[in-house]
Amino acid sequence: MNQNPEQIARDHIDDKLISCGWIIQSKKAINLSAGLGVAVREYLTDVGPADYVLFVDKKPVGLIEAKKEEEGYQLIKVEDQSTDYANAKLKYLDNEPLRFVYESTGTLTRFTDYHDPKPRSREVFSFHRPETFQEQIKANVSLRTRLHDIPALPEAGLRDCQILAINNLEKSFKDARPKALIQMATGAGKTFTAITFIYRLLKYAKAKRVLFLVDTKNLGEQAEQEFMAYLPNDDNRKFTELYSATRLKSSFIPTDNQVYISTIQRMYAILKGTELDESAEEDNPNESVFKAKAPLPVVYNEKVPLDFFDFIVIDECHRSIYNLWKQVLDYFDAFQIGLTATPDNRTFGYFNQNLVSDYGYEKAVIDGVLVPYNVFGIETKITKDGAKIGLGEKVDKRERLTRKKFWESVDEDIEYAGKQLDKDIVNPSQIRTIVKAIKENLPQMFPDRFDKDGAFEVPKTLIFAKTDSHAEDIINIVREEFNEENKFCKKITYKSTEDPKTVLSQFRNDYYPRIAVTVDMIATGTDIRPLEVLVFMRDVKSKSYYEQMKGRGTRTCSLEQLKLTGTPTAKITKDHFVIIDAIGVESSQKTDSRQLEKAPGISLKDLLQMVSVGNTQEEILSTLANRLIRMDRQINEKEKMAFAEHANGFTINHVVKQLLNAHDPDTHLEIIQKVNVEMQGQSPFAIEKEINKQTEQLIADAVEVFHNPELRDYIMDVRKKYDQIIDGINIDEIVNIGWVKDQTENAQMVINSFSEWIVDHKDEITALQLFYGQSYQRRELTYKMIKELYGNLRTDAPTLAPLSVWKSYEQLEKVNGSPKNELVALVSLIRRVIGLDENLTAYDKTVDAHFKDWVFKQQAGTLKFSEEQMQWLRMIKDYVANSFHVDKEDFELDPFNKNGGLGKMWQLFGDRTEGIIEELNEVLAA
């Protein structure tokens, strides 16, 4: 009972080893025939006893150097000690150096495979299984060694951006970098790129298994289709004829496949050993407003050991891999490759800033991989200002679920803002006014889309709605205003009465529907090439999510394909698409992270979804209990009985008590006291383990009923019975309509964000401190400082690349010159932001002007520079224009050294040399 820290650490290590399939023995009772993997404590070597020596199939293969938990911060320091043991001779054996080496506190574990090309320790979730070492010893060559055997990439059929991404990624693999990020614009072929490098990893690096991780069922289905359709450029057989790929749909995970496609929610459930209904995979977890503080931890699962996958490819990695879900990635000892079009700060940080591909939307448009867009704005009076319904007015009210209407007089004045539309208030006139404006202006946007009879053919159009109810209202009005039949406009959401996949396929490949309305099912990751119009009737507060939504329209489409799948009257290939902004989405303020998008407060739907996928922390369960208490007061007896039928016979009151009891301190204290009495005399570790087991069971029992999707649906259906007001009184009108010229709002927003970043960091970064200082202080600016400043900007605000900010200035004001590169652009932009320059001016032009003034002042008296002296002064000026500062050491570099270096300057300027260098540094940077 009174164990010291070292003994407690050994208990934790023993427990983990046993979980991973090892048999633990003391050095006095060795029996290597007891099983495949045996861990012997305190085995003697010629440099002293090793804490654990690992035997596989009776042969020594590795060791563990154990340390107490308090020494976790210096495990790397222990590597020399464990290496000495690994290279030592074991007593009674003439062994080779041991290959597999761990340093562990039982809580934190690091691992090194000394057969890697450059052995490097890495943190692992637990220990590897004996079977894993048996396989690796049989293969003789480690995975990191095999990565060096991958041949040059055949480039046929690949875009330049895909070739660059794959080559850079494979170099990252050879450098044994554990994480890599591929940024590739939506529509540029991220998934195709991923399948290509997965194929090469399986074929040449002999990778065992690859996990393709998504966060929605829809994305998983699409990935599965792309794997099935992929044809390598060096084989005439399809990918799935060469390697087996499976999409996980249950808690069962087969061991005989090479590629596994799974949502991160399902993989979390598999590791936790719980079932997951497919409905929990429909929405991406990143849409949840809740930021987990203490998620229920993943524990070792012998069915899915940590080395089950060699590589994990994470699609849409800018979302859903943080907080609760990050545990899935932390569990596996695998290389991780992120795919995204829109990385944010967290994404760069998570992938260790190892950006192997930087192929944004602008580059893709320049290369002709994607098409550009124009923005057409529609602003109505009610969208902008809202409206008022007076006391006593007769209005329709509508049940959200049944959409049943009834008349009622309002008993107070109701004023509503535009943001409340289609949630608490529905104004059909507002929707109708927008739809009419769209119908009337589409022919002007696409003047070539008239058939031989003069009838206008509506381009394929996607409307983003706020909710399913909002989508229903839009569809009814679109059909009326366009005077078309049902198949002309359809809804594509998970809640569609028609199969959403069928409707999506029709929208992509058939003539009808011409207009589709969605909430978020096809907001991301869906390829619809003939799509030419995006209509935003919902706002989006996330930059990355907005870029993903815009990405639905960026795909190129040949004239033949456009005629065949979209618009037979088309006369040219798809060369752009149109965004119709009916809500102000282009100008609304956006954040980098979805987590910060919504107001505090969690919806009932989110609470139920969180619990269904295993998020059972105290804040969630107590909030859910509170919502159920309120619901119990509102619904009738018949509805309460229906609840019990879906909840295994339990009443709402009983379920609430269990939820509140799950984290009740008194209940937990009772468990602790009970276990201590029952297990008196056993080790503290065993007692702690049993307490945790019973506590987790208490929580599991409390949430058991919510794993039933029918109960969750019933709760949502009952709660939806409060009413929407239908405002048929206030008639809407257009306030502003037309093209958004040069996207000036967006340009201003970029400039404002850049300016704010500079101001926010002016006291932290040396280069900015010098800029804000006096002119003589700016002479200390160096190329290294500017490069570090640029690195900080790229890490903190990757969307504020200097050349992009420069383009935004070009849209709003006249600029002088153009920058030679990002660093030079950055200096010019900072000078503009802090007021050193009235207009944005290329830095070389600023330096030229300052140099001209300086020379003029120097020669105003009797001093005149010779032509040779002027040549040297111009060289210094040009050097400063590109490197921001010149030191005496720089005269050993081009172009100075070719012209005699510092010695020549001394010949020309004598003892004025150092003064001129110092003076030019100050004057040119002023």
Side-chain angles (χ1 to χ4, degrees):
M1 294 296 288
N2 297 314
Q3 289 180 302
N4 61 40
E6 287 82 1
Q7 291 168 329
I8 292 172
R10 300 290 178 96
D11 283 348
H12 284 293
I13 291 171
D14 287 354
D15 189 61
K16 285 194 170 187
L17 283 170
I18 293 168
S19 298
C20 298
W22 294 88
I23 297 169
I24 299 174
Q25 296 177 354
S26 70
K27 63 182 178 182
K28 294 180 180 179
I30 296 177
N31 177 9
L32 299 182
S33 298
L36 177 65
V38 174
V40 181
R41 294 194 195 99
E42 301 296 332
Y43 196 102
L44 289 174
T45 75
D46 58 10
V47 296
D51 293 329
Y52 295 81
V53 172
L54 305 177
F55 290 82
V56 171
D57 201 14
K58 303 175 185 171
K59 296 181 178 62
V61 299
L63 63 84
I64 303 170
E65 177 64 25
K67 295 294 177 186
K68 58 187 177 182
E69 188 171 354
E70 291 78 6
E71 295 183 12
Y73 72 96
Q74 56 180 0
L75 269 192
I76 290 178
K77 184 179 176 183
V78 181
E79 288 168 357
D80 289 342
Q81 184 180 354
S82 52
T83 303
D84 288 341
Y85 284 122
N87 291 324
K89 289 295 182 183
L90 302 177
K91 190 172 183 178
Y92 310 119
L93 294 170
D94 184 21
N95 58 287
E96 295 293 323
L98 302 183
R99 173 177 172 181
F100 306 110
V101 177
Y102 296 94
E103 296 87 27
S104 180
T105 65
T107 302
L108 179 68
T109 302
R110 299 189 67 85
F111 168 72
T112 307
D113 181 347
Y114 278 92
H115 278 201
D116 287 342
K118 292 183 178 180
R120 184 189 306 159
S121 70
R122 59 185 183 269
E123 189 175 334
V124 289
F125 183 84
S126 187
F127 301 103
H128 298 84
R129 297 187 67 81
E131 295 85 354
T132 298
F133 289 160
Q134 186 181 40
E135 290 173 13
Q136 293 183 6
I137 291 167
K138 185 176 179 182
N140 195 34
V141 179
S142 72
L143 172 64
R144 284 161 176 74
T145 302
R146 297 196 299 271
L147 288 170
H148 287 262
D149 299 331
I150 299 178
L153 173 70
E155 298 180 359
L158 295 172
R159 296 169 177 161
D160 289 345
C161 61
Q162 295 170 329
I163 294 168
L164 182 67
I166 295 170
N167 283 334
N168 286 349
L169 177 64
E170 291 180 354
K171 182 182 183 304
S172 177
F173 289 151
K174 290 172 184 177
D175 292 341
R177 301 191 67 168
K179 297 176 182 177
L181 177 62
I182 292 177
Q183 179 191 1
M184 196 174 285
T186 300
K190 292 192 299 295
T191 308
F192 187 89
T193 302
I195 299 173
T196 302
F197 69 68
I198 289 171
Y199 166 74
R200 288 168 58 76
L201 289 171
L202 292 170
K203 181 173 182 178
Y204 299 112
K206 306 301 178 188
K208 182 172 53 179
R209 300 183 193 92
V210 178
L211 173 62
F212 192 92
L213 204 59
V214 296
D215 61 12
T216 64
K217 178 183 173 184
N218 181 39
L219 288 179
E221 291 169 342
Q222 289 179 57
E224 184 178 30
Q225 292 300 314
E226 293 203 45
F227 273 100
M228 292 170 65
Y230 181 85
L231 187 67
N233 57 12
D234 62 355
D235 201 303
N236 59 6
R237 292 168 292 177
K238 288 187 175 181
F239 185 98
T240 47
E241 294 175 312
L242 296 164
Y243 303 103
S244 53
T246 184
R247 184 166 63 86
L248 300 179
K249 304 172 188 176
S250 69
S251 60
F252 172 72
I253 181 165
T255 59
D256 56 352
N257 290 68
Q258 282 78 50
V259 175
Y260 296 73
I261 303 166
S262 173
T263 62
I264 197 164
Q265 304 93 298
R266 183 162 298 285
M267 189 54 63
Y268 175 79
I270 287 171
L271 293 177
K272 291 297 296 175
T274 58
E275 291 294 334
L276 183 74
D277 188 82
E278 283 192 280
S279 64
E281 300 179 283
E282 291 177 354
D283 299 322
N284 89 69
N286 189 54
E287 289 298 302
S288 166
V289 301
F290 186 74
K291 185 176 181 180
K293 296 177 183 175
L296 197 63
V298 164
V299 295
Y300 185 82
N301 186 327
E302 63 179 9
K303 296 178 182 177
V304 193
L306 62 138
D307 55 275
F308 193 81
F309 301 109
D310 288 330
F311 297 87
I312 301 177
V313 180
I314 310 148
D315 197 18
E316 305 296 354
C317 65
H318 60 280
R319 64 191 199 195
S320 308
I321 62 171
Y322 309 101
N323 303 324
L324 173 72
W325 311 107
K326 183 175 175 288
Q327 295 181 90
V328 172
L329 300 176
D330 289 343
Y331 178 85
F332 291 106
D333 181 24
F335 286 92
Q336 296 178 22
I337 307 99
L339 307 177
T340 180
T342 53
D344 61 18
N345 297 344
R346 295 179 308 172
T347 319
F348 283 105
Y350 179 80
F351 286 95
N352 302 334
Q353 301 178 39
N354 184 25
L355 183 65
V356 298
S357 167
D358 179 9
Y359 193 70
Y361 175 68
E362 289 185 5
K363 292 179 184 177
V365 169
I366 291 169
D367 291 346
V369 173
L370 302 178
V371 297
Y373 65 90
N374 297 323
V375 180
F376 187 86
I378 300 174
E379 185 178 43
T380 76
K381 189 174 187 302
I382 291 177
T383 307
K384 181 183 177 185
D385 301 325
K388 178 179 178 179
I389 303 173
L391 172 67
E393 292 279 6
K394 292 280 188 181
V395 296
D396 271 338
K397 286 195 173 182
R398 181 174 70 190
E399 291 183 354
R400 291 175 186 261
L401 180 63
T402 65
R403 297 178 75 81
K404 177 183 175 182
K405 291 182 181 179
F406 52 93
W407 278 92
E408 190 173 288
S409 295
V410 297
D411 53 9
E412 61 181 346
D413 288 343
I414 297 175
E415 291 189 43
Y416 62 89
K419 291 181 179 179
Q420 291 174 265
L421 283 167
D422 310 300
K423 294 175 182 175
D424 307 316
I425 305 282
V426 175
N427 186 315
S429 174
Q430 184 255 1
I431 298 173
R432 193 175 301 278
T433 301
I434 292 170
V435 171
K436 275 185 177 181
I438 293 170
K439 179 189 175 186
E440 290 168 0
N441 286 277
L442 278 176
Q444 300 171 31
M445 300 175 192
F446 297 88
D448 62 330
R449 300 300 170 80
F450 291 86
D451 63 21
K452 59 184 178 180
D453 298 322
F456 178 71
E457 187 173 64
V458 175
K460 287 275 185 174
T461 299
L462 178 63
I463 300 175
F464 290 111
K466 296 174 183 174
T467 62
D468 277 88
S469 176
H470 186 211
E472 293 278 341
D473 292 331
I474 292 171
I475 290 168
N476 288 330
I477 291 172
V478 165
R479 289 171 178 172
E480 287 178 17
E481 292 302 323
F482 280 84
N483 190 27
E484 288 288 353
E485 54 193 314
N486 290 348
K487 63 184 179 181
F488 176 82
C489 181
K490 288 191 175 183
K491 181 166 72 169
I492 307 178
T493 74
Y494 286 111
K495 296 182 181 177
S496 299
T497 51
E498 289 185 79
D499 176 21
K501 292 184 203 171
T502 301
V503 180
L504 178 57
S505 177
Q506 292 169 349
F507 188 49
R508 182 187 288 125
N509 301 309
D510 301 339
Y511 187 79
Y512 288 111
R514 304 303 303 160
I515 298 176
V517 183
T518 190
V519 178
D520 57 14
M521 180 177 170
I522 52 177
T524 63
T526 306
D527 185 1
I528 308 173
R529 292 188 177 274
L531 184 61
E532 294 184 278
V533 182
L534 293 180
V535 181
F536 281 88
M537 293 183 72
R538 61 167 287 192
D539 197 5
V540 185
K541 297 296 185 184
S542 160
K543 287 180 184 177
S544 60
Y545 196 49
Y546 182 44
E547 291 300 321
Q548 292 283 324
M549 294 167 81
K550 287 196 296 188
R552 300 316 101 217
T554 59
R555 267 72 169 183
T556 57
C557 189
S558 67
L559 179 58
E560 294 75 17
Q561 191 177 12
L562 195 57
K563 283 177 171 288
L564 181 66
T565 61
T567 312
T569 59
K571 298 180 178 58
I572 58 172
T573 187
K574 176 182 173 183
D575 60 358
H576 77 294
F577 71 100
V578 174
I579 290 175
I580 298 179
D581 182 2
I583 199 74
V585 67
E586 271 285 302
S587 57
S588 66
Q589 188 174 1
K590 295 176 177 61
T591 62
D592 282 330
S593 168
R594 295 290 295 165
Q595 290 292 340
L596 303 177
E597 177 189 338
K598 299 180 181 178
I602 310 170
S603 71
L604 181 59
K605 178 184 176 183
D606 279 340
L607 287 169
L608 292 169
Q609 192 82 342
M610 289 172 190
V611 172
S612 73
V613 298
N615 192 337
T616 56
Q617 66 185 100
E618 184 175 3
E619 292 91 336
I620 296 298
L621 299 194
S622 62
T623 305
L624 178 56
N626 188 47
R627 300 290 174 84
L628 292 177
I629 291 169
R630 284 157 49 189
M631 187 182 85
D632 191 43
R633 292 170 181 163
Q634 294 172 342
I635 64 178
N636 59 41
E637 288 303 318
K638 183 178 178 182
E639 289 164 338
K640 290 179 182 179
M641 289 177 63
F643 176 96
E645 289 174 8
H646 289 99
N648 303 331
F650 296 128
T651 64
I652 296 176
N653 188 260
H654 176 84
V655 171
V656 165
K657 284 182 178 179
Q658 282 196 305
L659 289 172
L660 296 176
N661 200 39
H663 288 285
D664 180 64
D666 291 336
T667 306
H668 286 201
L669 181 60
E670 289 176 10
I671 292 174
I672 292 169
Q673 292 172 341
K674 174 173 167 285
V675 171
N676 276 317
V677 170
E678 292 175 351
M679 299 183 66
Q680 189 172 8
Q682 297 191 37
S683 75
F685 180 73
I687 293 173
E688 181 187 354
K689 187 176 179 182
E690 180 61 25
I691 290 170
N692 289 338
K693 178 182 175 182
Q694 293 195 23
T695 303
E696 287 186 14
Q697 189 60 49
L698 180 72
I699 296 170
D701 291 343
V703 300
E704 174 65 29
V705 295
F706 297 104
H707 293 312
N708 178 5
E710 293 180 1
L711 174 63
R712 301 198 303 268
D713 289 343
Y714 177 76
I715 293 171
M716 289 304 300
D717 290 346
V718 169
R719 287 286 292 126
K720 282 179 178 176
K721 279 194 168 182
Y722 58 90
D723 309 323
Q724 287 181 317
I725 295 173
I726 311 297
D727 181 5
I729 298 166
N730 293 291
I731 304 303
D732 206 1
E733 61 187 75
I734 298 290
V735 173
N736 192 15
I737 189 168
W739 295 106
V740 178
K741 300 295 184 183
D742 300 323
Q743 302 173 9
T744 54
E745 294 94 340
N746 187 56
Q748 188 62 59
M749 189 165 64
V750 170
I751 291 170
N752 292 344
S753 297
F754 178 79
S755 301
E756 289 170 6
W757 190 89
I758 295 298
V759 172
D760 289 346
H761 293 80
K762 68 179 183 180
D763 297 324
E764 304 168 10
I765 300 172
T766 304
L768 290 178
Q769 291 172 359
L770 294 176
F771 269 111
Y772 275 88
Q774 300 299 318
S775 60
Y776 73 91
Q777 292 175 306
R778 287 192 286 279
R779 69 185 176 191
E780 302 300 328
L781 278 171
T782 64
Y783 182 87
K784 182 180 178 182
M785 289 179 188
I786 301 300
K787 196 164 185 179
E788 287 176 351
L789 173 61
Y790 174 72
N792 287 329
L793 178 65
R794 281 296 303 271
T795 301
D796 289 351
T799 58
L800 298 179
L803 291 179
S804 297
V805 181
W806 187 285
K807 288 180 181 178
S808 296
Y809 268 104
E810 286 180 328
Q811 294 174 12
L812 299 181
E813 68 181 40
K814 185 177 180 180
V815 301
N816 186 11
S818 57
K820 295 178 180 178
N821 55 52
E822 293 269 283
L823 296 184
V824 171
L826 178 58
V827 171
S828 300
L829 289 166
I830 294 170
R831 292 180 63 89
R832 173 70 178 85
V833 167
I834 68 176
L836 290 176
D837 297 328
E838 290 185 3
N839 294 97
L840 183 59
T841 304
Y843 188 59
D844 57 340
K845 291 188 177 295
T846 299
V847 171
D848 283 345
H850 290 171
F851 178 76
K852 185 177 179 181
D853 289 343
W854 181 80
V855 171
F856 178 81
K857 290 176 182 176
Q858 292 292 312
Q859 300 192 122
T862 57
L863 174 65
K864 302 293 179 186
F865 291 124
S866 69
E867 183 54 40
E868 192 174 11
Q869 285 176 321
M870 283 301 300
Q871 178 188 347
W872 267 84
L873 294 174
R874 290 188 195 102
M875 278 195 293
I876 295 173
K877 180 261 295 182
D878 292 338
Y879 189 90
V880 171
N882 289 286
S883 300
F884 319 112
H885 183 87
V886 63
D887 280 319
K888 287 192 291 184
E889 291 78 10
D890 295 334
F891 286 81
E892 298 175 7
L893 307 173
D894 286 343
F896 306 113
N897 64 340
K898 290 182 178 178
N899 290 278
L902 190 59
K904 180 65 176 177
M905 187 167 178
W906 272 97
Q907 288 180 15
L908 292 171
F909 295 97
D911 56 11
R912 289 195 61 203
T913 298
E914 291 187 7
I916 287 175
I917 294 172
E918 186 173 340
E919 196 170 343
L920 282 177
N921 274 325
E922 179 176 339
V923 169
L924 300 182

